[in-house]
Amino acid sequence: QAVRVCLCLGILATAFAGMRQPEECAGLTCSENRILKYNGTCHCELNPCHQRHCTDANYPVLDFEYDHRGNINCFCTKPCPHNLCGGQRKPVECASKGFSCPADEHPILMLEEGQCVCKSHPCQVARKARCDNPALPWNDYHYDSTGHLDCFCRQHPCPNFACNATSATPVVKWDQEGNCFCAPPSSKQEL
C-alpha cells in the first residue's frame, strides 16, 4: 500500500523519462519537444507526444514513457530532480496527493484501476542489472517502444544528501525519480 510521505525536492533541470539520454551524447541537449537519440551520431528527434501541450504551471514538462507492452503514455509532469529521470515516473494523480513507496520490496509507485499502488521493481522481477558498483548504485530502467525492458545502473542521484545519524533513519535512499530521503537500515540493496 502506498504511504504518504513528505519529501524535500531539489529540482534543477528537465529531461525526458521516456528515453534515457545516450551515454555517447553526454552534455548535449535538444530544443523543446525533441529528444536526444544516438545511431552512430547524436541527433534530435521529435518527441512522440509533441502534439500534446502542458498548461498547468505545476506540471510544465511534456514527458512520455512506454509500458511493458510497448504502449506509449504521454503526460505532463514536474521537472526531473538533479536532471535525472528514473524509470517509470510517479503518476501525477498519486504524487500530487503525497503518495510514495519507501519499502524495498515494492518501491515503484503506479496507478492501477484508479488506485495508487506500490509495485516490485521490474529489474528485480526480471533479475536484470544488479548494481553492485558503489559508483553506480541506482538500478534504473525504461521500456522501449516494443516493450523491451532495459535495466541499467546510474550514478547516485544525490551524493551530497546526508541523513542525521539516528538509529531510526540513518540510510540515504531514493525513489524511482531520484528524490532522496532518509530511511531505516535494510538488509536489501537500495534501488
Side-chain angles (χ1 to χ4, degrees), residues 33-84:
N33 287 331
R34 301 186 87 60
I35 57 173
L36 191 59
K37 295 274 213 104
Y38 180 80
N39 65 355
T41 60
C42 298
H43 65 281
C44 296
E45 287 185 5
L46 196 59
N47 181 324
C49 299
H50 70 277
Q51 293 180 341
R52 181 167 176 183
H53 301 284
C54 298
T55 57
D56 185 337
N58 293 318
Y59 302 96
V61 178
L62 177 61
D63 207 346
F64 69 96
E65 64 191 10
Y66 294 99
D67 67 16
H68 64 281
R69 292 182 195 91
N71 299 320
I72 194 166
N73 177 25
C74 301
F75 55 94
C76 297
T77 189
K78 294 181 178 183
C80 299
H82 317 292
N83 201 25
L84 297 170

mmCIF file of all heavy atoms in Angstrom, residues 33-84:
data_model
loop_
_atom_site.group_PDB
_atom_site.id
_atom_site.type_symbol
_atom_site.label_atom_id
_atom_site.label_comp_id
_atom_site.label_asym_id
_atom_site.label_seq_id
_atom_site.Cartn_x
_atom_site.Cartn_y
_atom_site.Cartn_z
ATOM 1 N N ASN A 33 10.353 19.855 -27.072
ATOM 2 C CA ASN A 33 9.594 18.869 -27.840
ATOM 3 C C ASN A 33 10.461 17.985 -28.727
ATOM 4 O O ASN A 33 9.981 17.402 -29.688
ATOM 5 C CB ASN A 33 8.485 19.520 -28.672
ATOM 6 C CG ASN A 33 7.348 19.984 -27.804
ATOM 7 O OD1 ASN A 33 7.093 19.410 -26.748
ATOM 8 N ND2 ASN A 33 6.663 21.015 -28.234
ATOM 9 N N ARG A 34 11.747 17.887 -28.418
ATOM 10 C CA ARG A 34 12.642 17.000 -29.158
ATOM 11 C C ARG A 34 13.410 16.167 -28.135
ATOM 12 O O ARG A 34 13.630 16.589 -27.010
ATOM 13 C CB ARG A 34 13.580 17.799 -30.042
ATOM 14 C CG ARG A 34 12.780 18.653 -31.041
ATOM 15 C CD ARG A 34 13.612 19.357 -32.037
ATOM 16 N NE ARG A 34 13.967 18.661 -33.260
ATOM 17 C CZ ARG A 34 13.131 18.174 -34.161
ATOM 18 N NH1 ARG A 34 11.846 18.209 -33.966
ATOM 19 N NH2 ARG A 34 13.561 17.632 -35.268
ATOM 20 N N ILE A 35 13.800 14.966 -28.535
ATOM 21 C CA ILE A 35 14.560 14.080 -27.658
ATOM 22 C C ILE A 35 15.883 13.717 -28.320
ATOM 23 O O ILE A 35 15.979 13.626 -29.535
ATOM 24 C CB ILE A 35 13.768 12.811 -27.289
ATOM 25 C CG1 ILE A 35 13.331 12.056 -28.538
ATOM 26 C CG2 ILE A 35 12.582 13.141 -26.410
ATOM 27 C CD1 ILE A 35 12.689 10.713 -28.266
ATOM 28 N N LEU A 36 16.891 13.507 -27.494
ATOM 29 C CA LEU A 36 18.222 13.189 -27.978
ATOM 30 C C LEU A 36 18.340 11.693 -28.232
ATOM 31 O O LEU A 36 17.996 10.886 -27.375
ATOM 32 C CB LEU A 36 19.251 13.626 -26.931
ATOM 33 C CG LEU A 36 20.714 13.629 -27.316
ATOM 34 C CD1 LEU A 36 20.956 14.549 -28.512
ATOM 35 C CD2 LEU A 36 21.550 14.094 -26.126
ATOM 36 N N LYS A 37 18.806 11.324 -29.417
ATOM 37 C CA LYS A 37 18.976 9.916 -29.805
ATOM 38 C C LYS A 37 20.384 9.718 -30.344
ATOM 39 O O LYS A 37 21.042 10.679 -30.733
ATOM 40 C CB LYS A 37 17.970 9.533 -30.900
ATOM 41 C CG LYS A 37 16.521 9.571 -30.505
ATOM 42 C CD LYS A 37 16.148 8.265 -29.878
ATOM 43 C CE LYS A 37 14.758 7.820 -30.121
ATOM 44 N NZ LYS A 37 14.439 6.824 -31.009
ATOM 45 N N TYR A 38 20.799 8.458 -30.417
ATOM 46 C CA TYR A 38 22.121 8.128 -30.945
ATOM 47 C C TYR A 38 22.006 6.923 -31.864
ATOM 48 O O TYR A 38 21.448 5.893 -31.485
ATOM 49 C CB TYR A 38 23.094 7.816 -29.801
ATOM 50 C CG TYR A 38 24.484 7.477 -30.279
ATOM 51 C CD1 TYR A 38 25.370 8.475 -30.642
ATOM 52 C CD2 TYR A 38 24.896 6.154 -30.371
ATOM 53 C CE1 TYR A 38 26.642 8.176 -31.089
ATOM 54 C CE2 TYR A 38 26.166 5.843 -30.817
ATOM 55 C CZ TYR A 38 27.039 6.858 -31.176
ATOM 56 O OH TYR A 38 28.301 6.551 -31.614
ATOM 57 N N ASN A 39 22.521 7.043 -33.088
ATOM 58 C CA ASN A 39 22.578 5.915 -34.024
ATOM 59 C C ASN A 39 23.885 5.986 -34.808
ATOM 60 O O ASN A 39 23.909 5.882 -36.021
ATOM 61 C CB ASN A 39 21.374 5.899 -34.972
ATOM 62 C CG ASN A 39 21.342 7.104 -35.897
ATOM 63 O OD1 ASN A 39 22.162 8.006 -35.776
ATOM 64 N ND2 ASN A 39 20.386 7.117 -36.811
ATOM 65 N N GLY A 40 24.980 6.215 -34.086
ATOM 66 C CA GLY A 40 26.279 6.451 -34.694
ATOM 67 C C GLY A 40 26.662 7.914 -34.591
ATOM 68 O O GLY A 40 27.827 8.258 -34.528
ATOM 69 N N THR A 41 25.661 8.782 -34.576
ATOM 70 C CA THR A 41 25.844 10.210 -34.304
ATOM 71 C C THR A 41 24.699 10.662 -33.405
ATOM 72 O O THR A 41 23.623 10.063 -33.392
ATOM 73 C CB THR A 41 25.821 11.054 -35.599
ATOM 74 O OG1 THR A 41 24.560 10.880 -36.238
ATOM 75 C CG2 THR A 41 26.944 10.676 -36.545
ATOM 76 N N CYS A 42 24.939 11.714 -32.658
ATOM 77 C CA CYS A 42 23.899 12.278 -31.799
ATOM 78 C C CYS A 42 22.994 13.162 -32.648
ATOM 79 O O CYS A 42 23.476 13.948 -33.469
ATOM 80 C CB CYS A 42 24.537 13.099 -30.683
ATOM 81 S SG CYS A 42 25.588 12.122 -29.588
ATOM 82 N N HIS A 43 21.693 13.011 -32.479
ATOM 83 C CA HIS A 43 20.730 13.828 -33.220
ATOM 84 C C HIS A 43 19.454 13.975 -32.405
ATOM 85 O O HIS A 43 19.208 13.215 -31.480
ATOM 86 C CB HIS A 43 20.432 13.218 -34.593
ATOM 87 C CG HIS A 43 19.756 11.885 -34.520
ATOM 88 N ND1 HIS A 43 20.423 10.717 -34.249
ATOM 89 C CD2 HIS A 43 18.458 11.545 -34.671
ATOM 90 C CE1 HIS A 43 19.573 9.709 -34.239
ATOM 91 N NE2 HIS A 43 18.377 10.184 -34.496
ATOM 92 N N CYS A 44 18.664 14.967 -32.756
ATOM 93 C CA CYS A 44 17.396 15.233 -32.073
ATOM 94 C C CYS A 44 16.240 14.746 -32.929
ATOM 95 O O CYS A 44 16.227 14.952 -34.140
ATOM 96 C CB CYS A 44 17.251 16.727 -31.807
ATOM 97 S SG CYS A 44 18.504 17.383 -30.683
ATOM 98 N N GLU A 45 15.282 14.087 -32.277
ATOM 99 C CA GLU A 45 14.056 13.638 -32.950
ATOM 100 C C GLU A 45 12.863 14.264 -32.258
ATOM 101 O O GLU A 45 12.919 14.597 -31.075
ATOM 102 C CB GLU A 45 13.926 12.106 -32.876
ATOM 103 C CG GLU A 45 14.880 11.375 -33.764
ATOM 104 C CD GLU A 45 14.637 9.867 -33.761
ATOM 105 O OE1 GLU A 45 13.665 9.397 -33.127
ATOM 106 O OE2 GLU A 45 15.424 9.169 -34.397
ATOM 107 N N LEU A 46 11.786 14.377 -32.985
ATOM 108 C CA LEU A 46 10.557 14.925 -32.443
ATOM 109 C C LEU A 46 10.032 14.033 -31.315
ATOM 110 O O LEU A 46 10.009 12.810 -31.440
ATOM 111 C CB LEU A 46 9.516 15.025 -33.566
ATOM 112 C CG LEU A 46 8.309 15.896 -33.313
ATOM 113 C CD1 LEU A 46 8.729 17.340 -33.032
ATOM 114 C CD2 LEU A 46 7.406 15.869 -34.534
ATOM 115 N N ASN A 47 9.643 14.644 -30.210
ATOM 116 C CA ASN A 47 9.028 13.918 -29.107
ATOM 117 C C ASN A 47 7.765 13.237 -29.635
ATOM 118 O O ASN A 47 6.947 13.880 -30.302
ATOM 119 C CB ASN A 47 8.674 14.915 -27.994
ATOM 120 C CG ASN A 47 8.056 14.273 -26.778
ATOM 121 O OD1 ASN A 47 7.302 13.319 -26.878
ATOM 122 N ND2 ASN A 47 8.368 14.813 -25.625
ATOM 123 N N PRO A 48 7.559 11.938 -29.366
ATOM 124 C CA PRO A 48 6.367 11.262 -29.885
ATOM 125 C C PRO A 48 5.052 11.850 -29.351
ATOM 126 O O PRO A 48 3.993 11.573 -29.891
ATOM 127 C CB PRO A 48 6.554 9.810 -29.446
ATOM 128 C CG PRO A 48 7.556 9.840 -28.369
ATOM 129 C CD PRO A 48 8.409 11.042 -28.593
ATOM 130 N N CYS A 49 5.136 12.673 -28.317
ATOM 131 C CA CYS A 49 3.939 13.298 -27.748
ATOM 132 C C CYS A 49 3.864 14.790 -28.086
ATOM 133 O O CYS A 49 3.160 15.543 -27.422
ATOM 134 C CB CYS A 49 3.947 13.123 -26.230
ATOM 135 S SG CYS A 49 3.924 11.407 -25.696
ATOM 136 N N HIS A 50 4.563 15.227 -29.125
ATOM 137 C CA HIS A 50 4.717 16.650 -29.432
ATOM 138 C C HIS A 50 3.397 17.391 -29.657
ATOM 139 O O HIS A 50 3.343 18.606 -29.513
ATOM 140 C CB HIS A 50 5.629 16.843 -30.649
ATOM 141 C CG HIS A 50 5.021 16.395 -31.929
ATOM 142 N ND1 HIS A 50 5.046 15.079 -32.325
ATOM 143 C CD2 HIS A 50 4.349 17.075 -32.888
ATOM 144 C CE1 HIS A 50 4.420 14.972 -33.481
ATOM 145 N NE2 HIS A 50 3.994 16.154 -33.855
ATOM 146 N N GLN A 51 2.312 16.697 -29.972
ATOM 147 C CA GLN A 51 1.045 17.384 -30.234
ATOM 148 C C GLN A 51 0.281 17.721 -28.952
ATOM 149 O O GLN A 51 -0.685 18.462 -28.989
ATOM 150 C CB GLN A 51 0.178 16.542 -31.159
ATOM 151 C CG GLN A 51 0.801 16.446 -32.544
ATOM 152 C CD GLN A 51 -0.027 15.611 -33.492
ATOM 153 O OE1 GLN A 51 -0.867 14.825 -33.081
ATOM 154 N NE2 GLN A 51 0.215 15.781 -34.785
ATOM 155 N N ARG A 52 0.743 17.173 -27.826
ATOM 156 C CA ARG A 52 0.107 17.490 -26.548
ATOM 157 C C ARG A 52 0.798 18.707 -25.943
ATOM 158 O O ARG A 52 1.992 18.905 -26.122
ATOM 159 C CB ARG A 52 0.230 16.294 -25.600
ATOM 160 C CG ARG A 52 -0.425 16.547 -24.276
ATOM 161 C CD ARG A 52 -0.586 15.306 -23.480
ATOM 162 N NE ARG A 52 -1.144 15.660 -22.186
ATOM 163 C CZ ARG A 52 -1.365 14.818 -21.236
ATOM 164 N NH1 ARG A 52 -1.095 13.545 -21.411
ATOM 165 N NH2 ARG A 52 -1.874 15.205 -20.098
ATOM 166 N N HIS A 53 0.048 19.520 -25.223
ATOM 167 C CA HIS A 53 0.607 20.716 -24.606
ATOM 168 C C HIS A 53 0.362 20.686 -23.113
ATOM 169 O O HIS A 53 -0.690 20.238 -22.654
ATOM 170 C CB HIS A 53 -0.014 21.975 -25.216
ATOM 171 C CG HIS A 53 0.215 22.069 -26.683
ATOM 172 N ND1 HIS A 53 1.423 22.444 -27.223
ATOM 173 C CD2 HIS A 53 -0.599 21.805 -27.733
ATOM 174 C CE1 HIS A 53 1.347 22.413 -28.533
ATOM 175 N NE2 HIS A 53 0.129 22.030 -28.875
ATOM 176 N N CYS A 54 1.337 21.163 -22.339
ATOM 177 C CA CYS A 54 1.227 21.211 -20.885
ATOM 178 C C CYS A 54 0.883 22.635 -20.475
ATOM 179 O O CYS A 54 1.670 23.557 -20.727
ATOM 180 C CB CYS A 54 2.540 20.770 -20.245
ATOM 181 S SG CYS A 54 2.979 19.072 -20.662
ATOM 182 N N THR A 55 -0.273 22.819 -19.855
ATOM 183 C CA THR A 55 -0.732 24.155 -19.497
ATOM 184 C C THR A 55 -0.739 24.409 -17.995
ATOM 185 O O THR A 55 -0.873 25.545 -17.572
ATOM 186 C CB THR A 55 -2.154 24.388 -20.046
ATOM 187 O OG1 THR A 55 -3.017 23.363 -19.542
ATOM 188 C CG2 THR A 55 -2.157 24.357 -21.571
ATOM 189 N N ASP A 56 -0.578 23.374 -17.182
ATOM 190 C CA ASP A 56 -0.566 23.521 -15.726
ATOM 191 C C ASP A 56 0.849 23.910 -15.285
ATOM 192 O O ASP A 56 1.810 23.170 -15.525
ATOM 193 C CB ASP A 56 -0.984 22.207 -15.070
ATOM 194 C CG ASP A 56 -1.130 22.296 -13.566
ATOM 195 O OD1 ASP A 56 -0.517 23.190 -12.941
ATOM 196 O OD2 ASP A 56 -1.837 21.447 -13.000
ATOM 197 N N ALA A 57 0.985 25.057 -14.631
ATOM 198 C CA ALA A 57 2.302 25.538 -14.192
ATOM 199 C C ALA A 57 2.962 24.586 -13.198
ATOM 200 O O ALA A 57 4.193 24.559 -13.079
ATOM 201 C CB ALA A 57 2.173 26.927 -13.569
ATOM 202 N N ASN A 58 2.180 23.781 -12.499
ATOM 203 C CA ASN A 58 2.744 22.804 -11.560
ATOM 204 C C ASN A 58 3.314 21.581 -12.273
ATOM 205 O O ASN A 58 4.112 20.848 -11.689
ATOM 206 C CB ASN A 58 1.687 22.359 -10.546
ATOM 207 C CG ASN A 58 1.280 23.473 -9.633
ATOM 208 O OD1 ASN A 58 2.120 24.244 -9.161
ATOM 209 N ND2 ASN A 58 -0.017 23.598 -9.396
ATOM 210 N N TYR A 59 2.885 21.341 -13.507
ATOM 211 C CA TYR A 59 3.337 20.183 -14.288
ATOM 212 C C TYR A 59 3.663 20.651 -15.712
ATOM 213 O O TYR A 59 2.972 20.312 -16.665
ATOM 214 C CB TYR A 59 2.263 19.087 -14.290
ATOM 215 C CG TYR A 59 1.921 18.639 -12.892
ATOM 216 C CD1 TYR A 59 0.840 19.160 -12.206
ATOM 217 C CD2 TYR A 59 2.733 17.706 -12.239
ATOM 218 C CE1 TYR A 59 0.558 18.772 -10.904
ATOM 219 C CE2 TYR A 59 2.461 17.322 -10.934
ATOM 220 C CZ TYR A 59 1.370 17.861 -10.279
ATOM 221 O OH TYR A 59 1.103 17.481 -8.997
ATOM 222 N N PRO A 60 4.771 21.397 -15.866
ATOM 223 C CA PRO A 60 5.057 22.049 -17.150
ATOM 224 C C PRO A 60 5.822 21.208 -18.174
ATOM 225 O O PRO A 60 5.983 21.634 -19.312
ATOM 226 C CB PRO A 60 5.921 23.235 -16.722
ATOM 227 C CG PRO A 60 6.672 22.707 -15.537
ATOM 228 C CD PRO A 60 5.687 21.812 -14.822
ATOM 229 N N VAL A 61 6.300 20.037 -17.793
ATOM 230 C CA VAL A 61 7.176 19.262 -18.668
ATOM 231 C C VAL A 61 6.400 18.172 -19.402
ATOM 232 O O VAL A 61 5.774 17.318 -18.775
ATOM 233 C CB VAL A 61 8.332 18.621 -17.865
ATOM 234 C CG1 VAL A 61 9.218 17.781 -18.767
ATOM 235 C CG2 VAL A 61 9.144 19.696 -17.158
ATOM 236 N N LEU A 62 6.433 18.209 -20.731
ATOM 237 C CA LEU A 62 5.829 17.160 -21.537
ATOM 238 C C LEU A 62 6.746 15.943 -21.494
ATOM 239 O O LEU A 62 7.906 16.019 -21.861
ATOM 240 C CB LEU A 62 5.648 17.622 -22.980
ATOM 241 C CG LEU A 62 5.077 16.585 -23.946
ATOM 242 C CD1 LEU A 62 3.684 16.142 -23.493
ATOM 243 C CD2 LEU A 62 5.031 17.149 -25.353
ATOM 244 N N ASP A 63 6.236 14.837 -21.027
ATOM 245 C CA ASP A 63 7.044 13.639 -20.835
ATOM 246 C C ASP A 63 6.302 12.448 -21.419
ATOM 247 O O ASP A 63 5.131 12.539 -21.771
ATOM 248 C CB ASP A 63 7.291 13.429 -19.339
ATOM 249 C CG ASP A 63 8.571 12.677 -19.042
ATOM 250 O OD1 ASP A 63 9.168 12.082 -19.965
ATOM 251 O OD2 ASP A 63 8.969 12.662 -17.868
ATOM 252 N N PHE A 64 6.984 11.338 -21.526
ATOM 253 C CA PHE A 64 6.365 10.117 -22.022
ATOM 254 C C PHE A 64 7.128 8.923 -21.502
ATOM 255 O O PHE A 64 8.261 9.023 -21.049
ATOM 256 C CB PHE A 64 6.346 10.094 -23.549
ATOM 257 C CG PHE A 64 7.716 9.933 -24.172
ATOM 258 C CD1 PHE A 64 8.174 8.684 -24.565
ATOM 259 C CD2 PHE A 64 8.531 11.024 -24.355
ATOM 260 C CE1 PHE A 64 9.433 8.539 -25.123
ATOM 261 C CE2 PHE A 64 9.784 10.884 -24.923
ATOM 262 C CZ PHE A 64 10.232 9.637 -25.309
ATOM 263 N N GLU A 65 6.474 7.785 -21.543
ATOM 264 C CA GLU A 65 7.116 6.523 -21.211
ATOM 265 C C GLU A 65 6.357 5.422 -21.935
ATOM 266 O O GLU A 65 5.212 5.609 -22.334
ATOM 267 C CB GLU A 65 7.121 6.279 -19.701
ATOM 268 C CG GLU A 65 5.733 6.136 -19.096
ATOM 269 C CD GLU A 65 5.730 6.161 -17.576
ATOM 270 O OE1 GLU A 65 6.760 6.477 -16.986
ATOM 271 O OE2 GLU A 65 4.671 5.878 -16.998
ATOM 272 N N TYR A 66 7.028 4.308 -22.125
ATOM 273 C CA TYR A 66 6.402 3.127 -22.710
ATOM 274 C C TYR A 66 6.160 2.120 -21.597
ATOM 275 O O TYR A 66 6.962 2.006 -20.674
ATOM 276 C CB TYR A 66 7.303 2.503 -23.779
ATOM 277 C CG TYR A 66 7.490 3.376 -24.986
ATOM 278 C CD1 TYR A 66 8.632 4.151 -25.141
ATOM 279 C CD2 TYR A 66 6.522 3.428 -25.983
ATOM 280 C CE1 TYR A 66 8.810 4.953 -26.258
ATOM 281 C CE2 TYR A 66 6.693 4.233 -27.102
ATOM 282 C CZ TYR A 66 7.841 4.991 -27.229
ATOM 283 O OH TYR A 66 8.004 5.778 -28.329
ATOM 284 N N ASP A 67 5.065 1.378 -21.675
ATOM 285 C CA ASP A 67 4.831 0.320 -20.702
ATOM 286 C C ASP A 67 5.418 -0.994 -21.217
ATOM 287 O O ASP A 67 6.012 -1.040 -22.290
ATOM 288 C CB ASP A 67 3.343 0.195 -20.353
ATOM 289 C CG ASP A 67 2.475 -0.297 -21.498
ATOM 290 O OD1 ASP A 67 3.000 -0.845 -22.498
ATOM 291 O OD2 ASP A 67 1.247 -0.160 -21.386
ATOM 292 N N HIS A 68 5.241 -2.055 -20.451
ATOM 293 C CA HIS A 68 5.832 -3.348 -20.805
ATOM 294 C C HIS A 68 5.236 -3.958 -22.071
ATOM 295 O O HIS A 68 5.765 -4.918 -22.601
ATOM 296 C CB HIS A 68 5.723 -4.319 -19.626
ATOM 297 C CG HIS A 68 4.307 -4.657 -19.263
ATOM 298 N ND1 HIS A 68 3.521 -3.812 -18.523
ATOM 299 C CD2 HIS A 68 3.564 -5.719 -19.558
ATOM 300 C CE1 HIS A 68 2.332 -4.364 -18.367
ATOM 301 N NE2 HIS A 68 2.325 -5.517 -18.974
ATOM 302 N N ARG A 69 4.150 -3.384 -22.580
ATOM 303 C CA ARG A 69 3.566 -3.865 -23.833
ATOM 304 C C ARG A 69 3.977 -2.993 -25.024
ATOM 305 O O ARG A 69 3.585 -3.255 -26.145
ATOM 306 C CB ARG A 69 2.041 -3.866 -23.728
ATOM 307 C CG ARG A 69 1.504 -4.887 -22.751
ATOM 308 C CD ARG A 69 -0.031 -4.846 -22.736
ATOM 309 N NE ARG A 69 -0.529 -5.542 -21.589
ATOM 310 C CZ ARG A 69 -0.786 -4.991 -20.408
ATOM 311 N NH1 ARG A 69 -0.589 -3.704 -20.218
ATOM 312 N NH2 ARG A 69 -1.241 -5.707 -19.410
ATOM 313 N N GLY A 70 4.739 -1.916 -24.753
ATOM 314 C CA GLY A 70 5.152 -1.004 -25.814
ATOM 315 C C GLY A 70 4.159 0.110 -26.073
ATOM 316 O O GLY A 70 4.334 0.884 -27.003
ATOM 317 N N ASN A 71 3.113 0.221 -25.254
ATOM 318 C CA ASN A 71 2.140 1.304 -25.406
ATOM 319 C C ASN A 71 2.717 2.581 -24.821
ATOM 320 O O ASN A 71 3.287 2.574 -23.728
ATOM 321 C CB ASN A 71 0.836 0.962 -24.678
ATOM 322 C CG ASN A 71 0.192 -0.287 -25.229
ATOM 323 O OD1 ASN A 71 0.176 -0.497 -26.433
ATOM 324 N ND2 ASN A 71 -0.312 -1.132 -24.347
ATOM 325 N N ILE A 72 2.551 3.691 -25.544
ATOM 326 C CA ILE A 72 3.090 4.965 -25.069
ATOM 327 C C ILE A 72 2.089 5.653 -24.158
ATOM 328 O O ILE A 72 0.880 5.557 -24.353
ATOM 329 C CB ILE A 72 3.487 5.881 -26.247
ATOM 330 C CG1 ILE A 72 4.344 7.029 -25.745
ATOM 331 C CG2 ILE A 72 2.258 6.355 -27.009
ATOM 332 C CD1 ILE A 72 5.052 7.791 -26.829
ATOM 333 N N ASN A 73 2.606 6.319 -23.138
ATOM 334 C CA ASN A 73 1.812 7.102 -22.210
ATOM 335 C C ASN A 73 2.394 8.512 -22.218
ATOM 336 O O ASN A 73 3.538 8.707 -21.827
ATOM 337 C CB ASN A 73 1.876 6.493 -20.806
ATOM 338 C CG ASN A 73 1.132 7.315 -19.776
ATOM 339 O OD1 ASN A 73 0.205 8.051 -20.105
ATOM 340 N ND2 ASN A 73 1.549 7.204 -18.533
ATOM 341 N N CYS A 74 1.627 9.493 -22.703
ATOM 342 C CA CYS A 74 2.053 10.890 -22.730
ATOM 343 C C CYS A 74 1.436 11.595 -21.527
ATOM 344 O O CYS A 74 0.269 11.380 -21.218
ATOM 345 C CB CYS A 74 1.574 11.564 -24.006
ATOM 346 S SG CYS A 74 2.163 10.786 -25.519
ATOM 347 N N PHE A 75 2.217 12.445 -20.868
ATOM 348 C CA PHE A 75 1.700 13.140 -19.699
ATOM 349 C C PHE A 75 2.536 14.373 -19.407
ATOM 350 O O PHE A 75 3.657 14.517 -19.894
ATOM 351 C CB PHE A 75 1.674 12.217 -18.479
ATOM 352 C CG PHE A 75 3.004 11.586 -18.166
ATOM 353 C CD1 PHE A 75 3.872 12.164 -17.254
ATOM 354 C CD2 PHE A 75 3.386 10.402 -18.781
ATOM 355 C CE1 PHE A 75 5.101 11.585 -16.973
ATOM 356 C CE2 PHE A 75 4.611 9.809 -18.497
ATOM 357 C CZ PHE A 75 5.476 10.407 -17.588
ATOM 358 N N CYS A 76 1.975 15.244 -18.602
ATOM 359 C CA CYS A 76 2.681 16.435 -18.141
ATOM 360 C C CYS A 76 3.125 16.174 -16.708
ATOM 361 O O CYS A 76 2.386 15.583 -15.911
ATOM 362 C CB CYS A 76 1.763 17.651 -18.203
ATOM 363 S SG CYS A 76 1.248 18.033 -19.892
ATOM 364 N N THR A 77 4.340 16.592 -16.383
ATOM 365 C CA THR A 77 4.886 16.296 -15.077
ATOM 366 C C THR A 77 5.786 17.434 -14.615
ATOM 367 O O THR A 77 5.982 18.427 -15.305
ATOM 368 C CB THR A 77 5.653 14.953 -15.108
ATOM 369 O OG1 THR A 77 6.000 14.576 -13.775
ATOM 370 C CG2 THR A 77 6.895 15.042 -15.975
ATOM 371 N N LYS A 78 6.356 17.271 -13.423
ATOM 372 C CA LYS A 78 7.330 18.217 -12.892
ATOM 373 C C LYS A 78 8.690 17.919 -13.507
ATOM 374 O O LYS A 78 8.928 16.811 -13.985
ATOM 375 C CB LYS A 78 7.417 18.074 -11.375
ATOM 376 C CG LYS A 78 6.160 18.478 -10.656
ATOM 377 C CD LYS A 78 6.326 18.329 -9.177
ATOM 378 C CE LYS A 78 5.070 18.781 -8.454
ATOM 379 N NZ LYS A 78 5.211 18.721 -7.008
ATOM 380 N N PRO A 79 9.609 18.885 -13.488
ATOM 381 C CA PRO A 79 10.972 18.609 -13.962
ATOM 382 C C PRO A 79 11.620 17.506 -13.118
ATOM 383 O O PRO A 79 11.291 17.331 -11.953
ATOM 384 C CB PRO A 79 11.698 19.935 -13.772
ATOM 385 C CG PRO A 79 10.614 20.959 -13.723
ATOM 386 C CD PRO A 79 9.427 20.272 -13.097
ATOM 387 N N CYS A 80 12.529 16.777 -13.717
ATOM 388 C CA CYS A 80 13.247 15.716 -13.015
ATOM 389 C C CYS A 80 14.233 16.316 -12.022
ATOM 390 O O CYS A 80 14.985 17.221 -12.387
ATOM 391 C CB CYS A 80 14.030 14.847 -13.993
ATOM 392 S SG CYS A 80 13.002 14.041 -15.194
ATOM 393 N N PRO A 81 14.261 15.815 -10.793
ATOM 394 C CA PRO A 81 15.239 16.332 -9.847
ATOM 395 C C PRO A 81 16.654 15.981 -10.298
ATOM 396 O O PRO A 81 16.887 14.910 -10.842
ATOM 397 C CB PRO A 81 14.895 15.635 -8.537
ATOM 398 C CG PRO A 81 13.868 14.633 -8.841
ATOM 399 C CD PRO A 81 13.408 14.809 -10.256
ATOM 400 N N HIS A 82 17.582 16.888 -10.091
ATOM 401 C CA HIS A 82 19.004 16.659 -10.371
ATOM 402 C C HIS A 82 19.253 16.310 -11.836
ATOM 403 O O HIS A 82 20.246 15.670 -12.158
ATOM 404 C CB HIS A 82 19.567 15.561 -9.474
ATOM 405 C CG HIS A 82 19.127 15.669 -8.060
ATOM 406 N ND1 HIS A 82 19.523 16.692 -7.242
ATOM 407 C CD2 HIS A 82 18.298 14.894 -7.322
ATOM 408 C CE1 HIS A 82 18.963 16.539 -6.045
ATOM 409 N NE2 HIS A 82 18.221 15.471 -6.070
ATOM 410 N N ASN A 83 18.343 16.678 -12.736
ATOM 411 C CA ASN A 83 18.444 16.371 -14.163
ATOM 412 C C ASN A 83 18.461 14.868 -14.433
ATOM 413 O O ASN A 83 19.013 14.409 -15.411
ATOM 414 C CB ASN A 83 19.666 17.046 -14.795
ATOM 415 C CG ASN A 83 19.527 17.167 -16.299
ATOM 416 O OD1 ASN A 83 18.424 17.192 -16.824
ATOM 417 N ND2 ASN A 83 20.636 17.233 -16.988
ATOM 418 N N LEU A 84 17.854 14.097 -13.549
ATOM 419 C CA LEU A 84 17.790 12.646 -13.724
ATOM 420 C C LEU A 84 16.348 12.196 -13.651
ATOM 421 O O LEU A 84 15.677 12.423 -12.653
ATOM 422 C CB LEU A 84 18.564 11.926 -12.606
ATOM 423 C CG LEU A 84 20.053 12.176 -12.526
ATOM 424 C CD1 LEU A 84 20.591 11.602 -11.230
ATOM 425 C CD2 LEU A 84 20.753 11.555 -13.709
#
